[in-house]
Short mmCIF file of all heavy atoms in Angstrom, two decimals:
data_model
loop_
_atom_site.label_atom_id
_atom_site.label_comp_id
_atom_site.label_asym_id
_atom_site.label_seq_id
_atom_site.Cartn_x
_atom_site.Cartn_y
_atom_site.Cartn_z
N MET A 974 33.16 -44.48 -10.46
CA MET A 974 34.28 -44.04 -11.13
C MET A 974 35.54 -44.52 -10.28
O MET A 974 35.51 -44.30 -9.09
CB MET A 974 34.41 -42.55 -11.34
CG MET A 974 35.59 -42.07 -12.11
SD MET A 974 35.73 -40.26 -12.25
CE MET A 974 34.36 -39.99 -13.33
N GLU A 975 36.56 -45.05 -10.85
CA GLU A 975 37.72 -45.56 -10.10
C GLU A 975 38.71 -44.34 -9.92
O GLU A 975 38.78 -43.45 -10.71
CB GLU A 975 38.40 -46.59 -10.89
CG GLU A 975 37.59 -47.90 -10.83
CD GLU A 975 38.35 -49.12 -11.44
OE1 GLU A 975 39.59 -49.03 -11.37
OE2 GLU A 975 37.74 -50.12 -11.79
N VAL A 976 39.41 -44.38 -8.73
CA VAL A 976 40.33 -43.37 -8.49
C VAL A 976 41.34 -43.03 -9.58
O VAL A 976 41.58 -41.90 -9.88
CB VAL A 976 41.03 -43.53 -7.13
CG1 VAL A 976 41.93 -42.43 -6.77
CG2 VAL A 976 39.98 -43.72 -5.99
N GLY A 977 41.91 -44.07 -10.18
CA GLY A 977 42.93 -43.89 -11.20
C GLY A 977 42.30 -43.18 -12.43
O GLY A 977 43.05 -42.43 -13.03
N PHE A 978 41.12 -43.56 -12.76
CA PHE A 978 40.48 -42.91 -13.91
C PHE A 978 40.17 -41.40 -13.64
O PHE A 978 40.46 -40.56 -14.37
CB PHE A 978 39.12 -43.62 -14.22
CG PHE A 978 38.46 -43.23 -15.50
CD1 PHE A 978 39.00 -43.32 -16.71
CD2 PHE A 978 37.27 -42.47 -15.41
CE1 PHE A 978 38.44 -42.78 -17.83
CE2 PHE A 978 36.64 -41.98 -16.42
CZ PHE A 978 37.22 -42.15 -17.79
N TYR A 979 39.69 -41.15 -12.44
CA TYR A 979 39.44 -39.88 -11.94
C TYR A 979 40.77 -39.02 -11.99
O TYR A 979 40.81 -37.83 -12.49
CB TYR A 979 38.94 -39.88 -10.54
CG TYR A 979 38.66 -38.55 -9.88
CD1 TYR A 979 38.15 -37.46 -10.56
CD2 TYR A 979 38.91 -38.42 -8.48
CE1 TYR A 979 37.88 -36.21 -9.90
CE2 TYR A 979 38.77 -37.20 -7.88
CZ TYR A 979 38.23 -36.10 -8.58
OH TYR A 979 38.02 -34.99 -7.93
N ARG A 980 41.86 -39.54 -11.56
CA ARG A 980 43.15 -38.93 -11.55
C ARG A 980 43.64 -38.59 -13.01
O ARG A 980 44.01 -37.49 -13.33
CB ARG A 980 44.23 -39.78 -10.83
CG ARG A 980 45.72 -39.10 -10.86
CD ARG A 980 46.54 -39.98 -10.15
NE ARG A 980 46.43 -39.78 -8.72
CZ ARG A 980 46.48 -40.79 -7.85
NH1 ARG A 980 46.72 -42.07 -8.31
NH2 ARG A 980 46.34 -40.65 -6.60
N ALA A 981 43.48 -39.55 -13.91
CA ALA A 981 43.81 -39.39 -15.30
C ALA A 981 43.01 -38.24 -15.94
O ALA A 981 43.60 -37.42 -16.64
CB ALA A 981 43.68 -40.69 -16.07
N ILE A 982 41.68 -38.19 -15.77
CA ILE A 982 40.88 -37.15 -16.25
C ILE A 982 41.33 -35.80 -15.71
O ILE A 982 41.42 -34.87 -16.53
CB ILE A 982 39.39 -37.45 -15.97
CG1 ILE A 982 38.89 -38.58 -16.68
CG2 ILE A 982 38.55 -36.16 -16.19
CD1 ILE A 982 37.44 -39.03 -16.27
N THR A 983 41.64 -35.70 -14.47
CA THR A 983 42.04 -34.43 -13.87
C THR A 983 43.33 -34.01 -14.47
O THR A 983 43.50 -32.79 -14.68
CB THR A 983 42.06 -34.64 -12.37
OG1 THR A 983 40.90 -34.98 -11.92
CG2 THR A 983 42.38 -33.31 -11.67
N GLU A 984 44.27 -34.95 -14.55
CA GLU A 984 45.66 -34.57 -15.10
C GLU A 984 45.58 -34.11 -16.53
O GLU A 984 46.37 -33.24 -16.93
CB GLU A 984 46.63 -35.85 -14.96
CG GLU A 984 47.04 -36.06 -13.51
CD GLU A 984 47.78 -37.38 -13.34
OE1 GLU A 984 48.02 -37.99 -14.31
OE2 GLU A 984 48.21 -37.62 -12.26
N LEU A 985 44.68 -34.63 -17.26
CA LEU A 985 44.48 -34.20 -18.69
C LEU A 985 43.77 -32.91 -18.78
O LEU A 985 43.60 -32.29 -19.91
CB LEU A 985 43.77 -35.30 -19.44
CG LEU A 985 44.56 -36.57 -19.69
CD1 LEU A 985 43.63 -37.64 -20.32
CD2 LEU A 985 45.74 -36.30 -20.63
N GLY A 986 43.23 -32.32 -17.73
CA GLY A 986 42.52 -31.11 -17.78
C GLY A 986 41.13 -31.25 -18.19
O GLY A 986 40.40 -30.16 -18.54
N LEU A 987 40.60 -32.44 -18.24
CA LEU A 987 39.25 -32.70 -18.80
C LEU A 987 38.27 -32.50 -17.63
O LEU A 987 38.66 -32.59 -16.45
CB LEU A 987 39.10 -34.19 -19.29
CG LEU A 987 40.03 -34.41 -20.44
CD1 LEU A 987 39.87 -35.86 -20.90
CD2 LEU A 987 39.82 -33.61 -21.63
N SER A 988 37.07 -32.13 -17.95
CA SER A 988 35.99 -31.98 -16.92
C SER A 988 34.93 -32.94 -17.26
O SER A 988 34.74 -33.41 -18.34
CB SER A 988 35.58 -30.59 -16.88
OG SER A 988 35.04 -30.13 -18.08
N PHE A 989 33.89 -33.00 -16.37
CA PHE A 989 32.78 -33.87 -16.43
C PHE A 989 31.74 -33.28 -15.67
O PHE A 989 31.92 -32.48 -14.80
CB PHE A 989 33.11 -35.37 -16.03
CG PHE A 989 33.78 -35.43 -14.78
CD1 PHE A 989 33.00 -35.57 -13.55
CD2 PHE A 989 35.11 -35.57 -14.70
CE1 PHE A 989 33.66 -35.70 -12.35
CE2 PHE A 989 35.82 -35.68 -13.51
CZ PHE A 989 34.94 -35.64 -12.33
N GLU A 990 30.47 -33.56 -16.09
CA GLU A 990 29.30 -32.95 -15.43
C GLU A 990 28.49 -33.93 -14.64
O GLU A 990 27.86 -33.60 -13.73
CB GLU A 990 28.28 -32.37 -16.56
CG GLU A 990 28.92 -31.24 -17.22
CD GLU A 990 27.99 -30.62 -18.26
OE1 GLU A 990 26.76 -30.97 -18.25
OE2 GLU A 990 28.43 -29.87 -19.12
N ILE A 991 28.70 -35.25 -15.00
CA ILE A 991 27.93 -36.29 -14.21
C ILE A 991 28.99 -37.37 -13.66
O ILE A 991 29.89 -37.79 -14.41
CB ILE A 991 26.92 -37.04 -15.17
CG1 ILE A 991 25.89 -35.92 -15.60
CG2 ILE A 991 26.32 -38.17 -14.46
CD1 ILE A 991 24.97 -36.54 -16.68
N VAL A 992 28.80 -37.80 -12.52
CA VAL A 992 29.60 -38.92 -11.87
C VAL A 992 28.60 -40.10 -11.51
O VAL A 992 27.64 -39.74 -10.81
CB VAL A 992 30.31 -38.42 -10.75
CG1 VAL A 992 31.08 -39.51 -10.11
CG2 VAL A 992 31.21 -37.23 -10.90
N VAL A 993 28.96 -41.21 -12.10
CA VAL A 993 28.06 -42.35 -11.68
C VAL A 993 28.88 -43.49 -11.24
O VAL A 993 30.14 -43.56 -11.51
CB VAL A 993 27.18 -42.79 -12.93
CG1 VAL A 993 26.20 -41.78 -13.42
CG2 VAL A 993 28.18 -43.29 -14.11
N GLY A 994 28.34 -44.35 -10.46
CA GLY A 994 29.00 -45.46 -9.99
C GLY A 994 28.04 -46.42 -9.19
O GLY A 994 27.00 -45.98 -8.76
N SER A 995 28.49 -47.64 -8.92
CA SER A 995 27.76 -48.51 -8.10
C SER A 995 28.73 -49.20 -7.28
O SER A 995 29.97 -49.23 -7.46
CB SER A 995 27.00 -49.67 -8.93
OG SER A 995 28.01 -50.46 -9.65
N SER A 996 28.27 -49.61 -6.06
CA SER A 996 29.05 -50.11 -5.02
C SER A 996 30.18 -49.19 -4.61
O SER A 996 29.95 -48.05 -4.25
CB SER A 996 29.72 -51.55 -5.54
OG SER A 996 30.09 -52.30 -4.56
N VAL A 997 31.45 -49.61 -4.67
CA VAL A 997 32.53 -48.75 -4.27
C VAL A 997 32.54 -47.50 -5.17
O VAL A 997 32.97 -46.45 -4.74
CB VAL A 997 33.84 -49.57 -4.27
CG1 VAL A 997 35.08 -48.60 -4.14
CG2 VAL A 997 33.83 -50.55 -3.11
N GLY A 998 32.14 -47.69 -6.46
CA GLY A 998 32.19 -46.53 -7.36
C GLY A 998 31.24 -45.49 -6.88
O GLY A 998 31.46 -44.27 -7.18
N ALA A 999 30.14 -45.95 -6.30
CA ALA A 999 29.26 -44.89 -5.78
C ALA A 999 29.78 -44.11 -4.60
O ALA A 999 29.56 -42.95 -4.49
CB ALA A 999 28.04 -45.62 -5.33
N LEU A 1000 30.67 -44.82 -3.77
CA LEU A 1000 31.32 -44.04 -2.70
C LEU A 1000 32.31 -43.07 -3.33
O LEU A 1000 32.41 -41.91 -2.86
CB LEU A 1000 32.09 -45.02 -1.89
CG LEU A 1000 31.19 -46.03 -0.93
CD1 LEU A 1000 32.16 -46.99 -0.23
CD2 LEU A 1000 30.42 -45.17 0.06
N ASN A 1001 33.05 -43.52 -4.31
CA ASN A 1001 33.98 -42.62 -5.02
C ASN A 1001 33.14 -41.42 -5.66
O ASN A 1001 33.71 -40.25 -5.58
CB ASN A 1001 34.73 -43.34 -6.07
CG ASN A 1001 35.83 -44.32 -5.57
OD1 ASN A 1001 36.19 -44.16 -4.34
ND2 ASN A 1001 36.32 -45.16 -6.37
N GLY A 1002 32.06 -41.78 -6.33
CA GLY A 1002 31.32 -40.65 -6.92
C GLY A 1002 30.82 -39.69 -5.96
O GLY A 1002 30.83 -38.46 -6.33
N ALA A 1003 30.42 -40.07 -4.82
CA ALA A 1003 30.03 -39.10 -3.75
C ALA A 1003 31.17 -38.25 -3.30
O ALA A 1003 30.97 -37.01 -3.20
CB ALA A 1003 29.43 -39.92 -2.54
N CYS A 1004 32.29 -38.77 -3.12
CA CYS A 1004 33.51 -38.04 -2.83
C CYS A 1004 33.88 -37.03 -3.83
O CYS A 1004 34.21 -35.88 -3.75
CB CYS A 1004 34.68 -38.90 -2.48
SG CYS A 1004 34.43 -39.89 -1.02
N ILE A 1005 33.89 -37.50 -5.18
CA ILE A 1005 34.15 -36.70 -6.35
C ILE A 1005 33.19 -35.59 -6.48
O ILE A 1005 33.50 -34.36 -6.66
CB ILE A 1005 34.28 -37.64 -7.60
CG1 ILE A 1005 35.41 -38.48 -7.50
CG2 ILE A 1005 34.30 -36.65 -8.82
CD1 ILE A 1005 35.35 -39.60 -8.56
N ALA A 1006 31.83 -35.87 -6.27
CA ALA A 1006 30.88 -34.80 -6.45
C ALA A 1006 30.95 -33.84 -5.29
O ALA A 1006 30.63 -32.59 -5.49
CB ALA A 1006 29.52 -35.47 -6.41
N ALA A 1007 31.54 -34.21 -4.19
CA ALA A 1007 31.71 -33.25 -3.01
C ALA A 1007 32.99 -32.48 -3.30
O ALA A 1007 33.25 -31.49 -2.50
CB ALA A 1007 31.79 -34.05 -1.75
N GLY A 1008 33.82 -32.78 -4.28
CA GLY A 1008 34.92 -31.90 -4.65
C GLY A 1008 36.26 -32.45 -4.12
O GLY A 1008 37.30 -31.72 -4.07
N MET A 1009 36.34 -33.68 -3.64
CA MET A 1009 37.52 -34.25 -3.12
C MET A 1009 38.52 -34.49 -4.33
O MET A 1009 38.16 -35.08 -5.27
CB MET A 1009 37.32 -35.55 -2.40
CG MET A 1009 38.45 -36.30 -1.82
SD MET A 1009 38.14 -37.74 -0.93
CE MET A 1009 37.34 -37.20 0.51
N PRO A 1010 39.75 -33.92 -4.13
CA PRO A 1010 40.70 -34.11 -5.22
C PRO A 1010 41.17 -35.60 -5.36
O PRO A 1010 41.13 -36.33 -4.24
CB PRO A 1010 41.96 -33.33 -4.75
CG PRO A 1010 41.42 -32.46 -3.67
CD PRO A 1010 40.20 -33.08 -3.12
N PRO A 1011 41.65 -36.01 -6.48
CA PRO A 1011 42.03 -37.51 -6.68
C PRO A 1011 43.08 -37.98 -5.64
O PRO A 1011 42.96 -39.07 -5.15
CB PRO A 1011 42.54 -37.52 -8.08
CG PRO A 1011 42.45 -36.19 -8.70
CD PRO A 1011 41.91 -35.26 -7.73
N ASP A 1012 44.10 -37.16 -5.41
CA ASP A 1012 45.10 -37.60 -4.41
C ASP A 1012 44.60 -37.79 -2.97
O ASP A 1012 44.94 -38.76 -2.36
CB ASP A 1012 46.32 -36.65 -4.43
CG ASP A 1012 47.07 -36.66 -5.70
OD1 ASP A 1012 47.06 -37.67 -6.46
OD2 ASP A 1012 47.74 -35.60 -6.05
N GLU A 1013 43.64 -36.84 -2.64
CA GLU A 1013 43.11 -37.15 -1.24
C GLU A 1013 42.21 -38.33 -1.29
O GLU A 1013 42.20 -39.13 -0.27
CB GLU A 1013 42.25 -35.86 -0.98
CG GLU A 1013 41.67 -35.85 0.42
CD GLU A 1013 40.92 -34.65 0.79
OE1 GLU A 1013 41.06 -33.56 0.11
OE2 GLU A 1013 40.10 -34.62 1.74
N LEU A 1014 41.41 -38.54 -2.37
CA LEU A 1014 40.60 -39.77 -2.42
C LEU A 1014 41.43 -41.08 -2.36
O LEU A 1014 41.08 -41.97 -1.64
CB LEU A 1014 39.75 -39.75 -3.71
CG LEU A 1014 38.75 -40.86 -3.82
CD1 LEU A 1014 37.78 -41.05 -2.64
CD2 LEU A 1014 38.04 -40.70 -5.18
N ALA A 1015 42.56 -41.07 -3.06
CA ALA A 1015 43.55 -42.27 -3.00
C ALA A 1015 43.99 -42.48 -1.57
O ALA A 1015 44.04 -43.54 -1.15
CB ALA A 1015 44.66 -42.05 -4.07
N ARG A 1016 44.41 -41.41 -0.92
CA ARG A 1016 44.89 -41.50 0.43
C ARG A 1016 43.73 -42.04 1.38
O ARG A 1016 44.02 -42.88 2.28
CB ARG A 1016 45.45 -40.21 1.06
CG ARG A 1016 46.73 -39.86 0.43
CD ARG A 1016 47.38 -38.57 1.15
NE ARG A 1016 46.55 -37.44 1.12
CZ ARG A 1016 46.58 -36.51 0.18
NH1 ARG A 1016 47.38 -36.68 -0.91
NH2 ARG A 1016 45.75 -35.42 0.20
N TRP A 1017 42.50 -41.58 1.26
CA TRP A 1017 41.45 -42.05 1.96
C TRP A 1017 41.23 -43.53 1.81
O TRP A 1017 41.11 -44.32 2.86
CB TRP A 1017 40.14 -41.33 1.54
CG TRP A 1017 39.01 -41.75 2.37
CD1 TRP A 1017 38.75 -41.36 3.63
CD2 TRP A 1017 37.99 -42.48 1.95
NE1 TRP A 1017 37.47 -41.83 4.02
CE2 TRP A 1017 36.96 -42.57 3.05
CE3 TRP A 1017 37.57 -43.10 0.74
CZ2 TRP A 1017 35.77 -43.30 2.96
CZ3 TRP A 1017 36.37 -43.77 0.60
CH2 TRP A 1017 35.52 -43.87 1.65
N TRP A 1018 41.34 -44.00 0.62
CA TRP A 1018 41.19 -45.39 0.36
C TRP A 1018 42.35 -46.29 0.91
O TRP A 1018 42.15 -47.49 1.36
CB TRP A 1018 41.05 -45.75 -1.08
CG TRP A 1018 39.58 -45.59 -1.60
CD1 TRP A 1018 39.14 -44.70 -2.48
CD2 TRP A 1018 38.50 -46.41 -1.10
NE1 TRP A 1018 37.71 -44.90 -2.57
CE2 TRP A 1018 37.30 -45.88 -1.81
CE3 TRP A 1018 38.23 -47.48 -0.22
CZ2 TRP A 1018 36.06 -46.36 -1.54
CZ3 TRP A 1018 36.93 -47.91 0.01
CH2 TRP A 1018 35.84 -47.44 -0.72
N GLN A 1019 43.48 -45.62 1.07
CA GLN A 1019 44.57 -46.40 1.66
C GLN A 1019 44.38 -46.57 3.14
O GLN A 1019 44.97 -47.56 3.74
CB GLN A 1019 45.95 -45.63 1.38
CG GLN A 1019 46.32 -45.73 -0.01
CD GLN A 1019 47.49 -44.86 -0.33
OE1 GLN A 1019 47.90 -44.00 0.44
NE2 GLN A 1019 48.11 -45.01 -1.50
N ARG A 1020 43.61 -45.74 3.70
CA ARG A 1020 43.37 -45.77 5.14
C ARG A 1020 42.13 -46.66 5.52
O ARG A 1020 41.95 -47.16 6.62
CB ARG A 1020 43.18 -44.39 5.69
CG ARG A 1020 44.30 -43.48 5.73
CD ARG A 1020 44.14 -42.21 6.57
NE ARG A 1020 42.90 -41.51 6.22
CZ ARG A 1020 42.72 -40.58 5.37
NH1 ARG A 1020 43.81 -40.17 4.66
NH2 ARG A 1020 41.56 -40.02 5.20
N VAL A 1021 41.25 -46.88 4.60
CA VAL A 1021 39.99 -47.57 4.75
C VAL A 1021 40.23 -49.05 4.78
O VAL A 1021 40.86 -49.56 3.84
CB VAL A 1021 38.94 -47.13 3.83
CG1 VAL A 1021 37.73 -48.01 3.84
CG2 VAL A 1021 38.62 -45.72 3.91
N GLY A 1022 39.65 -49.78 5.60
CA GLY A 1022 39.77 -51.24 5.74
C GLY A 1022 38.37 -51.87 5.38
O GLY A 1022 37.39 -51.15 5.25
N ARG A 1023 38.35 -53.15 5.05
CA ARG A 1023 37.11 -53.77 4.65
C ARG A 1023 36.02 -53.65 5.77
O ARG A 1023 34.88 -53.33 5.40
CB ARG A 1023 37.34 -55.27 4.48
CG ARG A 1023 36.13 -56.08 4.16
CD ARG A 1023 36.37 -57.60 3.94
NE ARG A 1023 37.37 -57.81 2.87
CZ ARG A 1023 37.01 -58.38 1.71
NH1 ARG A 1023 35.84 -58.82 1.52
NH2 ARG A 1023 37.95 -58.52 0.83
N ALA A 1024 36.43 -53.67 6.98
CA ALA A 1024 35.44 -53.53 8.16
C ALA A 1024 34.83 -52.18 8.13
O ALA A 1024 33.67 -51.94 8.48
CB ALA A 1024 36.06 -53.80 9.46
N ASP A 1025 35.46 -51.07 7.49
CA ASP A 1025 34.88 -49.82 7.39
C ASP A 1025 33.81 -49.64 6.47
O ASP A 1025 32.96 -48.72 6.59
CB ASP A 1025 36.02 -48.79 7.16
CG ASP A 1025 37.05 -48.71 8.18
OD1 ASP A 1025 36.73 -48.80 9.33
OD2 ASP A 1025 38.29 -48.63 7.81
N VAL A 1026 33.75 -50.58 5.47
CA VAL A 1026 32.72 -50.42 4.29
C VAL A 1026 31.81 -51.67 4.26
O VAL A 1026 30.76 -51.58 3.66
CB VAL A 1026 33.39 -50.14 2.98
CG1 VAL A 1026 34.01 -48.78 2.87
CG2 VAL A 1026 34.35 -51.24 2.67
N VAL A 1027 32.27 -52.79 4.85
CA VAL A 1027 31.29 -53.95 4.89
C VAL A 1027 31.02 -54.44 6.25
O VAL A 1027 32.05 -54.62 6.95
CB VAL A 1027 32.17 -55.05 4.01
CG1 VAL A 1027 31.19 -56.33 4.03
CG2 VAL A 1027 32.38 -54.56 2.61
N GLY A 1028 29.80 -54.43 6.59
CA GLY A 1028 29.37 -54.96 7.83
C GLY A 1028 28.87 -56.28 7.80
O GLY A 1028 27.77 -56.55 7.26
N TRP A 1029 29.59 -57.35 8.33
CA TRP A 1029 29.02 -58.69 8.29
C TRP A 1029 28.49 -58.89 9.75
O TRP A 1029 29.00 -58.76 10.74
CB TRP A 1029 30.16 -59.66 8.09
CG TRP A 1029 30.85 -59.50 6.69
CD1 TRP A 1029 31.92 -58.81 6.37
CD2 TRP A 1029 30.25 -60.00 5.41
NE1 TRP A 1029 32.09 -58.82 5.05
CE2 TRP A 1029 31.11 -59.56 4.43
CE3 TRP A 1029 29.16 -60.68 5.13
CZ2 TRP A 1029 30.84 -59.82 3.07
CZ3 TRP A 1029 28.90 -60.97 3.80
CH2 TRP A 1029 29.74 -60.58 2.77
N HIS A 1030 27.19 -59.50 9.67
CA HIS A 1030 26.47 -59.80 10.87
C HIS A 1030 26.11 -61.32 10.88
O HIS A 1030 24.86 -61.57 10.86
CB HIS A 1030 25.32 -58.89 11.09
CG HIS A 1030 25.77 -57.53 11.22
ND1 HIS A 1030 26.37 -57.00 12.36
CD2 HIS A 1030 25.53 -56.50 10.36
CE1 HIS A 1030 26.60 -55.75 12.14
NE2 HIS A 1030 26.16 -55.38 11.04
N ILE A 1031 26.99 -62.17 10.56
CA ILE A 1031 26.67 -63.62 10.54
C ILE A 1031 26.40 -64.20 11.89
O ILE A 1031 27.02 -63.97 12.84
CB ILE A 1031 27.81 -64.40 9.85
CG1 ILE A 1031 28.13 -63.84 8.53
CG2 ILE A 1031 27.65 -65.94 9.86
CD1 ILE A 1031 29.41 -64.41 7.76
N GLY A 1032 25.24 -64.89 11.89
CA GLY A 1032 24.76 -65.55 13.16
C GLY A 1032 23.86 -64.71 14.05
O GLY A 1032 23.49 -65.14 15.12
N ARG A 1033 23.65 -63.54 13.68
CA ARG A 1033 22.72 -62.68 14.51
C ARG A 1033 21.85 -61.98 13.62
O ARG A 1033 22.26 -61.54 12.48
CB ARG A 1033 23.41 -61.80 15.44
CG ARG A 1033 24.13 -60.67 14.84
CD ARG A 1033 24.64 -59.76 16.04
NE ARG A 1033 25.03 -58.43 15.35
CZ ARG A 1033 25.84 -57.65 15.73
NH1 ARG A 1033 26.58 -58.00 16.87
NH2 ARG A 1033 26.14 -56.59 15.17
N ARG A 1034 20.67 -61.72 14.07
CA ARG A 1034 19.66 -60.88 13.23
C ARG A 1034 19.84 -59.55 13.59
O ARG A 1034 19.93 -59.07 14.75
CB ARG A 1034 18.30 -61.50 13.51
CG ARG A 1034 18.11 -62.87 12.99
CD ARG A 1034 16.83 -63.55 13.38
NE ARG A 1034 15.77 -62.65 12.93
CZ ARG A 1034 14.51 -62.95 13.06
NH1 ARG A 1034 14.16 -64.08 13.63
NH2 ARG A 1034 13.49 -62.10 12.86
N SER A 1035 19.74 -58.62 12.65
CA SER A 1035 19.86 -57.18 12.96
C SER A 1035 18.90 -56.46 11.91
O SER A 1035 18.48 -57.04 10.97
CB SER A 1035 21.27 -56.71 12.70
OG SER A 1035 21.67 -56.84 11.40
N GLY A 1036 18.67 -55.24 12.25
CA GLY A 1036 17.92 -54.42 11.26
C GLY A 1036 16.43 -54.96 11.08
O GLY A 1036 15.77 -55.35 12.05
N VAL A 1037 16.02 -54.99 9.83
CA VAL A 1037 14.73 -55.55 9.53
C VAL A 1037 14.47 -56.87 9.89
O VAL A 1037 13.24 -57.24 10.41
CB VAL A 1037 14.40 -55.38 7.87
CG1 VAL A 1037 13.11 -55.91 7.59
CG2 VAL A 1037 14.56 -53.81 7.55
N ALA A 1038 15.47 -57.71 9.85
CA ALA A 1038 15.33 -59.17 10.13
C ALA A 1038 15.07 -59.36 11.67
O ALA A 1038 14.37 -60.33 12.11
CB ALA A 1038 16.57 -59.92 9.80
N ALA A 1039 15.40 -58.36 12.47
CA ALA A 1039 15.18 -58.42 13.93
C ALA A 1039 13.94 -57.67 14.33
O ALA A 1039 13.68 -57.53 15.48
CB ALA A 1039 16.41 -57.84 14.71
N GLY A 1040 13.25 -57.15 13.32
CA GLY A 1040 12.01 -56.41 13.64
C GLY A 1040 12.21 -54.98 13.90
O GLY A 1040 11.31 -54.41 14.58
N ARG A 1041 13.30 -54.51 13.60
CA ARG A 1041 13.66 -52.99 13.85
C ARG A 1041 13.54 -52.26 12.70
O ARG A 1041 13.65 -52.63 11.58
CB ARG A 1041 15.07 -52.89 14.47
CG ARG A 1041 15.15 -53.44 15.76
CD ARG A 1041 16.50 -53.23 16.30
NE ARG A 1041 17.21 -54.56 16.19
CZ ARG A 1041 18.54 -54.66 16.45
NH1 ARG A 1041 19.20 -53.76 16.80
NH2 ARG A 1041 19.06 -55.82 16.27
#
């Protein structure tokens, strides 16, 4: 679920029982399911950078590829 959609649902006083999402939407869904208000979630995304959610390991083997 996107933050703007979550905010709109909340402002309309609507409720929901299930939150679903994939990729970034799954991160939002976890925060929403934990009870994070829309404004707090929006502020969190303003502080998060790409390196905080995407780990690139080009040129070196890590994890399963390294036998760990």
Side-chain angles (χ1 to χ4, degrees):
M974 180 182 298
E975 293 191 18
V976 178
F978 185 68
Y979 175 41
R980 180 179 283 139
I982 288 173
T983 304
E984 288 174 357
L985 290 171
L987 302 174
S988 62
F989 46 88
E990 294 182 17
I991 298 172
V992 179
V993 297
S995 61
S996 191
V997 170
L1000 294 174
N1001 287 343
C1004 293
I1005 292 166
M1009 185 180 284
D1012 291 335
E1013 185 178 343
L1014 182 56
R1016 283 191 302 274
W1017 182 73
W1018 277 115
Q1019 290 171 348
R1020 293 189 312 266
V1021 171
R1023 179 182 297 250
D1025 296 319
V1026 292
V1027 177
W1029 297 99
H1030 301 287
I1031 299 173
R1033 71 173 195 206
R1034 294 171 54 176
S1035 63
V1037 175
R1041 290 184 260 177

